[in-house]
């Protein structure tokens, strides 16, 4: 059995845009079979410096796919590349 592909969602507690992106990811997660690993940048100064003004940030394998709002086409393109 192979592991499901993982996307990383960088955000912060209380971030309404982060909540929106997470909700928008749910249908794609079901359709494409990936899992979302959420990271709160609030407790990590390095991540805060890197992503603080851009959250939410969605990444795959360390590469940013989108920030602020979900780019569903970029997510789908990521999974075309790995299949």
């Amino acid at each position: 059995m192979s592991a499901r592909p993982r996307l990383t969602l960088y955000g912060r507690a209380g971030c309404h845009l982060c909540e929106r992106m997470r909700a928008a990811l749910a249908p794609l997660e079901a359709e494409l079979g990936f899992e979302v690993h959420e990271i709160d940048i609030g407790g990590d100064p390095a991540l805060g410096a890197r992503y603080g003004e851009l959250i939410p940030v969605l990444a795959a394998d360390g590469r940013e796919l989108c920030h602020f709002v979900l780019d569903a086409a970029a997510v789908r393109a990521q999974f075309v590349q790995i299949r």
Side-chain angles (χ1 to χ4, degrees):
M1 184 163 86
S2 63
R4 290 176 27 185
R6 177 185 281 191
L7 297 182
T8 303
L9 179 60
Y10 296 95
R12 176 176 285 138
C15 167
H16 72 280
L17 289 176
C18 301
E19 294 165 6
R20 285 184 188 172
M21 185 178 289
R22 183 64 183 100
L25 276 166
L28 287 174
E29 187 175 5
E31 173 190 338
L32 299 171
F34 60 84
E35 64 180 280
V36 177
H37 177 67
E38 295 182 61
I39 297 179
D40 186 339
I41 68 167
D44 186 320
L47 290 176
R50 181 173 180 182
Y51 297 121
E53 298 297 319
L54 298 175
I55 62 167
V57 174
L58 186 64
D61 299 322
R63 184 176 64 85
E64 184 180 319
L65 298 177
C66 55
H67 61 270
F68 299 133
V69 296
L70 179 64
D71 182 343
V75 173
R76 283 192 173 91
Q78 173 67 23
F79 289 95
V80 167
Q81 290 176 357
I82 63 173
R83 288 190 176 162

